[in-house]
Structures are given as structure tokens and as C-alpha cells.
Amino acid sequence: MHPALRALSTSVLSASLLFTATLPLQAAPKTTPTAANAAHPPGTAIASAHALATDAGLEMIRAGGNAFDAAVAVSAALAVVEPISSGIGGGGFFLLHDAKSGKDIFVDARETAPASATPAAFLDEKGELNRDRATNGPWSAGIPGLPAALVHVAKKYGRLPLKTSLQPAIRIAREGFEIYPRLERGYGSRRQVMERYRGTREVFLADGTPPTAGEILKQPDLARTLELLAEKGFDGFYRGEVASKLLAAVKEEGGQWRADELTGYRVKEREPLRFQYRDWAITTAPPPSSGGVAIAEMLQMLSGWDLPKLDAAQRTHLIAEAMRRAFRDRTIYLGDPDFVKMPLARLTSPDYAAGLRATIHPSKATPSDLLPGQPAPLEDDETTHFSIIDANGNRVSVTQTVNLLYGSGMVVPGTGVLLNNEMDDFALRPGTPNAFGVMGFAANAPEPGKRMLSSMTPSFIESKDKIAVVGAPGGSRIITEVLLGILGYDWGLDAQGVAALPRIHHQWMPDVISAEKGALDAETVAALEAMGHKVNAGENPWGNLQTVSWDKRSNTLEAGTDPRNPVGKAAVVESAPAR
Ligand code: GLY
């Protein structure tokens, strides 16, 4: 492999990457190029959570496609090989950079609420949240957005026909792929729900036994649905045979969707959110993602300190305090911009961040000061992310999801479509935490056609010499994973170092710093506790960050895949710009 092309992959967290010890204790140097920066990358870099999906993207590049064709292929392939995380019964956000026009585009393919999904529909007779309805079966599902996104991105930005870019996914669905331990484990934890549904049993119990690692999973109905999408575009999913089966299955299981809610679904192109952090121009997800706003708040608060120069306890304290404040604002203010007015200019302004920064005591935790919330469950398997840079300099950052493990658990018979359970991302009962332990109020209450608030934060960061694409799954922990990813680049880590960086998380409620096992040493934990923090220092690793970067000065591409996920693949190949 050419030395300018680096795809790194490690299978274990290296001791040298402990959160407390990893920081190159100098900030990344401000470089002054001696030669002109390269005009375009020397090839293509793709990082995704499954090798077959990364390979599907590379296949499009070899066929003369660009990063957007590769994105369609990777997205659809992940929908086949990671039903635990995302799928065409779900939604996602596509952040694109079109090198030719220089434009950044945010394609919002978030699911929408059906009209039947009123707040009252999710309460039991005592007025409590009906958690079964919120997270399992047809009531938990929003109208899917991912199929519309695949059609939109292929048509508007791709060079290849959808029939070509969906081909790898169709092939993998038909021929099958090897089940890996994460799929088996996730099935085990969701099987009681999943096996309620005939369509789910037909896919996952086809041979009479639950999916087991090493076996081949074939999804012929899903292959056929993808073929219809490839042949007919939007109408292949939202009208006709597939739509009729979706409506019938939702009805049969006691839910209510209308045909016009499917035919009326549209992706929305929105202006990405932009702000500056030190030397980096950040381009990230606007609402209905909460991630971009939270990242803007956190980084602008943190810009008041030279983090690498601080000791580990001090640094962790400040990062956790920034997280706490951003998550409070997420809870109170954010929702679907088409339905709620949000003080976005204020929340993302450096002055507002400076005000919040002033409330952070240098050596004392600020209590979150509300009723204790629920501990957030660990989410390493829900949702998925991939990152691409091609030889033209096009960039793609996509996070897509069906929400919790295997979404609603319900596969629509005859289609292979596993419905999401994204309705739980709404504040279905004001002030009651959802499955991620995050709460919300009126701004994120369900309404017909409204998009539920998301944490998905596909992002680009760009300095004078470097461009990186970052994103991750993990429910509410997405936001803090991406924050740490951006800080990792700022601290001078390479792409693989960024993916491997040990993680900490604070989300205001519950008022606790979560840390991966080994991320904080005993001394740091003791110092944080002395400041008044509650610290869960021994949590299992979480997240699945996928990132690629291009150093324009050395004209080097890198790709990094999260070592916590052994089936991911980061690839860098030589390729010429697509013409
Ligand atoms: N379903 C996870 C998210 O969108 O935040």
C-alpha cells in the first residue's frame, strides 16, 4: 500500500490510549505549510461498522462512482448486515460535502410520527408511560426515512444508477452473510419481543433456531424489497406492494398508519450547523438532531481551557461539566425545527458558551439538581455510522438507525423490513426518561408528521491542513463520542487513535460521569469524587466510532474503525477522481 494511504485496525484498546494518559500533552501544532496543500486526496477512504458494507462502497468506487454512490451502497449494505442497528425500516442523517460546488448538505431522513401517535396513545391507565408501546411493535415505529434517502442521494448526488449502488446489498441479502457474535447476543436480549411477530420469526427463526454466530443469514424478502426500490425508486417502497404490506402488518398488530403518511414522506435538505473550535471549522448536524447544538455548546465552553495541559482529573471534570450543561439544554429546548421554535442562535453562540463556562467551578461538580433519572443503558450496538472521503474530495458522514437493538422487533411479513422503534426518541411523557435515560418536554412531544429529536451527529471537521469525517452510534452517548473524537483530532491523534480513544460521558441526568473500564485511573476517580462528582468508572466499552481523514499537506488519507467492534473495516485505496 502506498505510504500516503493508511488503514489501521486494532482489535484491543491499547493501554497507551487510556483517556487519562493518551493525550499528547501538547496541542496539535499550528502548521504552516511549506508546500501547497494537495488539491484532492490520493484515493478513497471508507470506514464502516461491517467489512461487507465497506467493501460495497469500494465496489462503487471501482465502478466509477463517487463518494455518494459509495454512501448509498454502504448504507444499504449496513441495512442488510446490521439489522440490529439500522435498516430500511428506519432513518438516518446524511451529511455530504460536494467538492465541485464546495457545498455542505444535510439530508434529514429521520422518521416521522404517524397521526395516530398522540401522547395519550403512549400512556397506560395510570397515566404512566407504556414502555412496551414506546419501544416494541408497531406503535413504537415512525414512518421510515432511509429508503427515501437512498433514492434522493443516488439521484441528486450520485453518478451511478440506484440499480448499481443497491446491487451489493441485494446480493448480500439474497446470498446471506455470516452471523457475528454481536447479532447473536442482541437477538438473545430482544428475542422475547421479536418472536411475537410472524414476520420476524420468518426471517430470524427460518431454520427453527435463533441466529447463531457462524451461521449464514439470508433475507430473500429484503432482497426483493431492495430490488423494488432499485427499479421504482421512491414508489418501490412508499407505494404499491411494499407499502400495502407495511400498512397491513401495522394494522394486524394493532397499530395505525395511513397510506398518505407513507406517500407523503419526504427527506429534507437542511443547512448544516457550523461553528469554529480553535483551528477547526466544524460542520455538523442541525435539529432535529440535538447533537450539533450540544457539540457546539460543549466545544465552545471547552475552548476556554488548554485541555492537554491540564491534569487528567481537571480535564475530565471540565469536559463532564460541559457535557452536563449541553444535555440540560438539549432536554429543555430541542425538537423538530419544522414544529418548534428554538433559540438556536443563542444556544450556539460563543457568548452563550462563555456564560455557561463562567458557571463551571474549577474544582467542584455542579449538582444536576433534579430528581435522579434512570441510569442510561449501554448502547454499543444500536445505530451505526460510516465515513467516506473520495479522490474528488467529496465527503460523506452518515449515521443511520432503527433506534434500540433490532428496533421495534417487528419485521413486516413478506418484505424483510424491520420496523424502527424511533417513537421512543420523542418525549412521550414529559419529564419521563426514555430508554437512553434522556428526558424531554414540549419541544419534543409527538405530533403528526413531526420528527423525533435525535442524538445522531454526523460531522466534518476542517483545519487549514486537515479534513476529517467523524460519527458514531450510541444513543445519547453519540454526542459525547463525537465530542471526544473531535478533541482527539485536536490533540493530534491519528484516525485509528480517535476511534480507539477511551470514553467518558455525562448527560446532565442522571448526574454521574460514566467511564469505560480503564479510561480513568483510580487517582483520577478519587480526585473527581473529591470535587463532588459521582463516577461510574468501570462501565463496559461502548460506541462504534468510524472516521476517515485527509491530511492535505502530506496528502495522506487515513481511516479508523472502532476496535470495540471486531467486524468493522477501515479501508484506504488508491483511486482517481471520478469525472
Ligand atoms: N435513535 C437514536 C437517536 O437518533 O438518537
Side-chain angles (χ1 to χ4, degrees), residues 93 110-111 288 290 330 382-383 399 401-404 421-422 425 434 436 452-456 474-476 478:
F93 295 143
R110 188 70 165 157
E111 300 90 332
S290 58
R330 175 199 198 275
E382 293 123 348
T383 309
T399 314
T401 186
V402 286
N403 197 24
L404 304 177
N421 61 353
E422 225 72 61
D425 275 349
N434 73 359
F436 296 112
M452 55 296 284
L453 189 63
S454 172
S455 296
M456 293 186 290
S476 52
I478 291 172

mmCIF file of all heavy atoms in Angstrom, residues 93 110-111 288 290 330 382-383 399 401-404 421-422 425 434 436 452-456 474-476 478, ligand 1:
data_model
loop_
_atom_site.group_PDB
_atom_site.id
_atom_site.type_symbol
_atom_site.label_atom_id
_atom_site.label_comp_id
_atom_site.label_asym_id
_atom_site.label_seq_id
_atom_site.Cartn_x
_atom_site.Cartn_y
_atom_site.Cartn_z
ATOM 1 N N PHE A 93 -29.313 10.333 9.088
ATOM 2 C CA PHE A 93 -28.869 11.656 8.643
ATOM 3 C C PHE A 93 -27.653 11.478 7.750
ATOM 4 O O PHE A 93 -26.691 10.796 8.146
ATOM 5 C CB PHE A 93 -28.453 12.532 9.829
ATOM 6 C CG PHE A 93 -29.559 12.884 10.787
ATOM 7 C CD1 PHE A 93 -29.292 12.961 12.151
ATOM 8 C CD2 PHE A 93 -30.837 13.176 10.345
ATOM 9 C CE1 PHE A 93 -30.293 13.303 13.052
ATOM 10 C CE2 PHE A 93 -31.846 13.518 11.241
ATOM 11 C CZ PHE A 93 -31.576 13.579 12.597
ATOM 12 N N ARG A 110 -34.910 11.446 8.878
ATOM 13 C CA ARG A 110 -35.439 10.989 10.168
ATOM 14 C C ARG A 110 -36.869 10.501 9.955
ATOM 15 O O ARG A 110 -37.614 11.050 9.125
ATOM 16 C CB ARG A 110 -35.415 12.186 11.127
ATOM 17 C CG ARG A 110 -35.744 11.876 12.564
ATOM 18 C CD ARG A 110 -34.664 11.089 13.226
ATOM 19 N NE ARG A 110 -34.823 11.097 14.687
ATOM 20 C CZ ARG A 110 -34.320 10.172 15.477
ATOM 21 N NH1 ARG A 110 -33.641 9.146 14.993
ATOM 22 N NH2 ARG A 110 -34.469 10.249 16.777
ATOM 23 N N GLU A 111 -37.279 9.518 10.749
ATOM 24 C CA GLU A 111 -38.647 9.031 10.673
ATOM 25 C C GLU A 111 -39.616 10.129 11.158
ATOM 26 O O GLU A 111 -39.225 11.023 11.911
ATOM 27 C CB GLU A 111 -38.842 7.795 11.564
ATOM 28 C CG GLU A 111 -37.964 6.616 11.205
ATOM 29 C CD GLU A 111 -36.626 6.611 11.913
ATOM 30 O OE1 GLU A 111 -36.126 7.715 12.260
ATOM 31 O OE2 GLU A 111 -36.050 5.527 12.108
ATOM 32 N N PRO A 288 -33.473 18.245 13.374
ATOM 33 C CA PRO A 288 -33.884 17.511 14.574
ATOM 34 C C PRO A 288 -32.800 16.664 15.236
ATOM 35 O O PRO A 288 -33.143 15.816 16.066
ATOM 36 C CB PRO A 288 -35.027 16.629 14.070
ATOM 37 C CG PRO A 288 -34.683 16.371 12.652
ATOM 38 C CD PRO A 288 -34.042 17.623 12.153
ATOM 39 N N SER A 290 -30.023 16.691 18.047
ATOM 40 C CA SER A 290 -29.609 17.537 19.167
ATOM 41 C C SER A 290 -28.090 17.591 19.233
ATOM 42 O O SER A 290 -27.513 18.386 19.980
ATOM 43 C CB SER A 290 -30.133 16.951 20.473
ATOM 44 O OG SER A 290 -29.642 15.626 20.627
ATOM 45 N N ARG A 330 -30.335 20.471 25.771
ATOM 46 C CA ARG A 330 -30.954 19.504 24.859
ATOM 47 C C ARG A 330 -32.348 19.140 25.360
ATOM 48 O O ARG A 330 -33.322 19.131 24.630
ATOM 49 C CB ARG A 330 -30.080 18.236 24.795
ATOM 50 C CG ARG A 330 -30.674 17.118 23.964
ATOM 51 C CD ARG A 330 -30.025 15.783 24.300
ATOM 52 N NE ARG A 330 -30.255 14.796 23.255
ATOM 53 C CZ ARG A 330 -31.329 14.038 23.155
ATOM 54 N NH1 ARG A 330 -32.323 14.166 24.029
ATOM 55 N NH2 ARG A 330 -31.454 13.150 22.173
ATOM 56 N N GLU A 382 -26.732 -0.305 18.987
ATOM 57 C CA GLU A 382 -27.802 0.381 18.290
ATOM 58 C C GLU A 382 -27.223 1.455 17.395
ATOM 59 O O GLU A 382 -26.249 2.095 17.755
ATOM 60 C CB GLU A 382 -28.750 1.036 19.301
ATOM 61 C CG GLU A 382 -29.510 0.051 20.126
ATOM 62 C CD GLU A 382 -29.275 0.252 21.603
ATOM 63 O OE1 GLU A 382 -28.385 0.987 21.970
ATOM 64 O OE2 GLU A 382 -30.012 -0.351 22.372
ATOM 65 N N THR A 383 -27.873 1.648 16.268
ATOM 66 C CA THR A 383 -27.461 2.711 15.358
ATOM 67 C C THR A 383 -26.093 2.354 14.751
ATOM 68 O O THR A 383 -25.368 1.507 15.265
ATOM 69 C CB THR A 383 -27.405 4.067 16.094
ATOM 70 O OG1 THR A 383 -28.657 4.252 16.770
ATOM 71 C CG2 THR A 383 -27.198 5.251 15.163
ATOM 72 N N THR A 399 -25.018 8.748 9.780
ATOM 73 C CA THR A 399 -25.431 7.953 10.935
ATOM 74 C C THR A 399 -26.861 7.511 10.661
ATOM 75 O O THR A 399 -27.701 8.342 10.290
ATOM 76 C CB THR A 399 -25.357 8.767 12.234
ATOM 77 O OG1 THR A 399 -24.113 9.470 12.278
ATOM 78 C CG2 THR A 399 -25.462 7.859 13.452
ATOM 79 N N THR A 401 -30.195 4.556 11.735
ATOM 80 C CA THR A 401 -30.641 3.828 12.925
ATOM 81 C C THR A 401 -32.029 3.218 12.762
ATOM 82 O O THR A 401 -32.819 3.675 11.934
ATOM 83 C CB THR A 401 -30.663 4.798 14.135
ATOM 84 O OG1 THR A 401 -30.951 4.081 15.330
ATOM 85 C CG2 THR A 401 -31.691 5.904 13.966
ATOM 86 N N VAL A 402 -32.286 2.181 13.568
ATOM 87 C CA VAL A 402 -33.663 1.746 13.825
ATOM 88 C C VAL A 402 -33.981 1.986 15.301
ATOM 89 O O VAL A 402 -34.935 1.478 15.837
ATOM 90 C CB VAL A 402 -33.910 0.267 13.455
ATOM 91 C CG1 VAL A 402 -33.974 0.090 11.940
ATOM 92 C CG2 VAL A 402 -32.861 -0.656 14.059
ATOM 93 N N ASN A 403 -33.142 2.730 15.983
ATOM 94 C CA ASN A 403 -33.185 3.049 17.414
ATOM 95 C C ASN A 403 -32.627 1.889 18.240
ATOM 96 O O ASN A 403 -31.490 1.535 18.074
ATOM 97 C CB ASN A 403 -34.567 3.503 17.872
ATOM 98 C CG ASN A 403 -34.480 4.221 19.227
ATOM 99 O OD1 ASN A 403 -33.435 4.743 19.579
ATOM 100 N ND2 ASN A 403 -35.544 4.237 19.981
ATOM 101 N N LEU A 404 -33.427 1.263 19.110
ATOM 102 C CA LEU A 404 -32.867 0.258 20.020
ATOM 103 C C LEU A 404 -32.508 -1.019 19.255
ATOM 104 O O LEU A 404 -32.808 -1.144 18.068
ATOM 105 C CB LEU A 404 -33.873 -0.050 21.133
ATOM 106 C CG LEU A 404 -34.326 1.187 21.925
ATOM 107 C CD1 LEU A 404 -35.368 0.801 22.966
ATOM 108 C CD2 LEU A 404 -33.153 1.876 22.590
ATOM 109 N N ASN A 421 -38.010 1.563 16.206
ATOM 110 C CA ASN A 421 -38.817 1.995 17.372
ATOM 111 C C ASN A 421 -38.393 3.405 17.803
ATOM 112 O O ASN A 421 -38.163 3.688 18.959
ATOM 113 C CB ASN A 421 -38.780 1.001 18.537
ATOM 114 C CG ASN A 421 -37.381 0.773 19.094
ATOM 115 O OD1 ASN A 421 -36.405 1.238 18.546
ATOM 116 N ND2 ASN A 421 -37.307 0.045 20.194
ATOM 117 N N GLU A 422 -38.353 4.264 16.777
ATOM 118 C CA GLU A 422 -37.861 5.635 16.983
ATOM 119 C C GLU A 422 -38.835 6.494 17.782
ATOM 120 O O GLU A 422 -38.458 7.561 18.274
ATOM 121 C CB GLU A 422 -37.634 6.278 15.611
ATOM 122 C CG GLU A 422 -36.347 7.035 15.482
ATOM 123 C CD GLU A 422 -35.138 6.121 15.426
ATOM 124 O OE1 GLU A 422 -35.031 5.308 14.509
ATOM 125 O OE2 GLU A 422 -34.298 6.234 16.330
ATOM 126 N N ASP A 425 -37.823 8.074 20.940
ATOM 127 C CA ASP A 425 -36.955 9.260 20.979
ATOM 128 C C ASP A 425 -37.760 10.543 21.181
ATOM 129 O O ASP A 425 -37.193 11.616 21.390
ATOM 130 C CB ASP A 425 -36.109 9.368 19.710
ATOM 131 C CG ASP A 425 -34.822 8.542 19.809
ATOM 132 O OD1 ASP A 425 -34.500 8.067 20.911
ATOM 133 O OD2 ASP A 425 -34.140 8.377 18.781
ATOM 134 N N ASN A 434 -36.465 8.412 28.524
ATOM 135 C CA ASN A 434 -36.691 7.347 27.546
ATOM 136 C C ASN A 434 -35.670 6.234 27.777
ATOM 137 O O ASN A 434 -35.007 6.197 28.814
ATOM 138 C CB ASN A 434 -36.651 7.909 26.106
ATOM 139 C CG ASN A 434 -35.238 8.266 25.653
ATOM 140 O OD1 ASN A 434 -34.273 8.125 26.405
ATOM 141 N ND2 ASN A 434 -35.116 8.730 24.429
ATOM 142 N N PHE A 436 -32.830 5.772 26.714
ATOM 143 C CA PHE A 436 -31.452 6.237 26.885
ATOM 144 C C PHE A 436 -31.295 7.062 28.152
ATOM 145 O O PHE A 436 -30.243 7.658 28.379
ATOM 146 C CB PHE A 436 -31.015 7.063 25.677
ATOM 147 C CG PHE A 436 -30.984 6.276 24.408
ATOM 148 C CD1 PHE A 436 -31.883 6.536 23.385
ATOM 149 C CD2 PHE A 436 -30.085 5.241 24.244
ATOM 150 C CE1 PHE A 436 -31.870 5.796 22.225
ATOM 151 C CE2 PHE A 436 -30.053 4.491 23.086
ATOM 152 C CZ PHE A 436 -30.959 4.772 22.074
ATOM 153 N N MET A 452 -38.822 13.049 15.543
ATOM 154 C CA MET A 452 -38.375 12.934 16.934
ATOM 155 C C MET A 452 -36.932 13.411 17.053
ATOM 156 O O MET A 452 -36.132 13.236 16.132
ATOM 157 C CB MET A 452 -38.531 11.492 17.442
ATOM 158 C CG MET A 452 -37.866 10.401 16.642
ATOM 159 S SD MET A 452 -38.480 10.163 14.939
ATOM 160 C CE MET A 452 -40.016 9.310 15.177
ATOM 161 N N LEU A 453 -36.628 14.049 18.190
ATOM 162 C CA LEU A 453 -35.277 14.560 18.408
ATOM 163 C C LEU A 453 -34.286 13.396 18.381
ATOM 164 O O LEU A 453 -34.576 12.309 18.908
ATOM 165 C CB LEU A 453 -35.224 15.270 19.766
ATOM 166 C CG LEU A 453 -33.948 16.046 20.075
ATOM 167 C CD1 LEU A 453 -33.757 17.195 19.092
ATOM 168 C CD2 LEU A 453 -34.007 16.602 21.505
ATOM 169 N N SER A 454 -33.144 13.645 17.782
ATOM 170 C CA SER A 454 -32.132 12.595 17.659
ATOM 171 C C SER A 454 -30.832 13.046 18.320
ATOM 172 O O SER A 454 -30.623 14.238 18.536
ATOM 173 C CB SER A 454 -31.890 12.324 16.175
ATOM 174 O OG SER A 454 -30.806 11.455 16.008
ATOM 175 N N SER A 455 -29.982 12.089 18.609
ATOM 176 C CA SER A 455 -28.626 12.416 19.057
ATOM 177 C C SER A 455 -27.610 12.191 17.940
ATOM 178 O O SER A 455 -26.422 12.444 18.137
ATOM 179 C CB SER A 455 -28.246 11.534 20.252
ATOM 180 O OG SER A 455 -29.088 11.806 21.338
ATOM 181 N N MET A 456 -28.053 11.693 16.800
ATOM 182 C CA MET A 456 -27.103 11.344 15.735
ATOM 183 C C MET A 456 -26.373 12.609 15.266
ATOM 184 O O MET A 456 -27.009 13.611 14.966
ATOM 185 C CB MET A 456 -27.837 10.690 14.567
ATOM 186 C CG MET A 456 -28.426 9.335 14.932
ATOM 187 S SD MET A 456 -29.151 8.486 13.523
ATOM 188 C CE MET A 456 -30.596 9.465 13.170
ATOM 189 N N GLY A 474 -24.777 5.075 19.469
ATOM 190 C CA GLY A 474 -24.700 5.006 20.934
ATOM 191 C C GLY A 474 -25.759 5.813 21.663
ATOM 192 O O GLY A 474 -25.518 6.253 22.788
ATOM 193 N N GLY A 475 -26.935 6.030 21.037
ATOM 194 C CA GLY A 475 -27.994 6.770 21.732
ATOM 195 C C GLY A 475 -27.480 8.130 22.161
ATOM 196 O O GLY A 475 -26.771 8.806 21.410
ATOM 197 N N SER A 476 -27.791 8.519 23.375
ATOM 198 C CA SER A 476 -27.366 9.840 23.839
ATOM 199 C C SER A 476 -25.848 9.931 23.924
ATOM 200 O O SER A 476 -25.284 11.031 23.934
ATOM 201 C CB SER A 476 -27.996 10.129 25.200
ATOM 202 O OG SER A 476 -27.741 9.056 26.086
ATOM 203 N N ILE A 478 -23.847 9.150 21.641
ATOM 204 C CA ILE A 478 -23.302 9.561 20.345
ATOM 205 C C ILE A 478 -22.633 10.922 20.484
ATOM 206 O O ILE A 478 -21.533 11.165 19.982
ATOM 207 C CB ILE A 478 -24.436 9.684 19.293
ATOM 208 C CG1 ILE A 478 -25.017 8.322 18.937
ATOM 209 C CG2 ILE A 478 -23.949 10.419 18.050
ATOM 210 C CD1 ILE A 478 -26.265 8.393 18.055
HETATM 211 N N1 GLY B 1 -32.251 6.607 17.942
HETATM 212 C C1 GLY B 1 -31.086 7.247 18.401
HETATM 213 C C2 GLY B 1 -31.044 8.678 18.035
HETATM 214 O O1 GLY B 1 -31.470 9.067 16.976
HETATM 215 O O2 GLY B 1 -30.613 9.473 18.827
#
